[in-house]
Amino acid sequence: MGTTASPVALQDVWPVAGLVVRTPRIELRWPSDDDLVALAELAADGVHAPDEMPFSFPWTRGTPTEVRRRVLQFHWQQRGAWTPEAWNWNPVVVADGRVVGTQGMFADDFAVRRTVATGSWLGRRFQGQGIGSEMRRAVLHLAFAGLGADRAVSDAYDDNAASLAVTRRLRYRPNGERFLAVEGQRKRALLYALDRPTWAAEVARDDVELEGLEPCLELFGAGVEGGAQSG
């Protein structure tokens, strides 16, 4: 009598779907369809004041339906474009069982450059509660402790005080500036970089857990030798 094969789970085919970064306060995880809908609804409720624009592409402008659809399309697009040579990991941030935002990390040629960049947003009603710092700490732990990164970079416009405060608090160093055209206006972005020794000495914590990392290393271009995992 034959045996029935066990059903194949999503993470068996796409290991990144099983990756979780967990701190005592939050969790970063691959979004389910329900998570993406919750994230889209959160964006439609507001991410920033109407007279501000912290993003290079003004995706938060428009009707609630347009904003929701842009969130979904962005995540679908990045999933489909993923390769070990160019990837963009965009987990949802979950606090107290609720989706409160997203903390992205992306890289090109990580196997050679060992450099990651990060970007994030929080629903407006969850801002000012220290969650932004916590989720950046979590993703930096994945980068340095998990993937073996040597460097993390970040940037924000010079009028984005909240984002810049998180960056400086986590010991990034100034790394230049650049100018962009956003909604017909010239905006100055401040660039920052954090190296591995500074992270290890001044930022790293021992209460961040990585779950399901090892099967993902190849997809990140890290390789088994690229990082250490826990959890």
Side-chain angles (χ1 to χ4, degrees), residues 33-99:
D33 286 345
D34 287 343
D35 287 338
L36 283 182
V37 171
L39 187 67
E41 187 63 27
L42 190 66
D45 285 345
V47 178
H48 55 79
D51 60 345
E52 298 175 353
M53 179 44 65
F55 306 112
S56 299
F57 173 72
W59 61 271
T60 51
R61 301 291 193 216
T63 68
T65 296
E66 288 172 334
V67 172
R68 294 184 191 103
R69 287 176 178 169
R70 289 192 194 113
V71 171
L72 297 178
Q73 288 178 307
F74 172 79
H75 282 264
W76 292 336
Q77 179 188 57
Q78 295 302 321
R79 288 179 177 187
W82 185 303
T83 69
E85 294 76 30
W87 48 261
N88 194 336
W89 184 61
N90 289 287
V92 287
V93 180
V94 180
D96 298 323
R98 297 179 296 180
V99 172

Side-chain angles (χ1 to χ4, degrees), residues 155-158 176-180 187-191:
D155 65 78
Y157 295 124
D158 58 8
E177 63 183 19
R178 60 176 175 161
F179 294 88
L180 296 90
K187 297 202 69 171
R188 173 175 173 248
L190 303 180
L191 313 181

Side-chain angles (χ1 to χ4, degrees), residues 113-145:
R113 298 177 62 225
R114 294 288 166 173
T115 297
V116 301
T118 60
S120 65
W121 61 264
L122 275 171
R124 199 170 178 191
R125 65 181 182 270
F126 298 109
Q127 296 171 14
Q129 303 172 32
I131 298 175
S133 294
E134 187 77 355
M135 58 203 236
R136 183 90 68 89
R137 285 180 183 274
V139 81
L140 288 174
H141 188 90
L142 172 60
F144 288 113

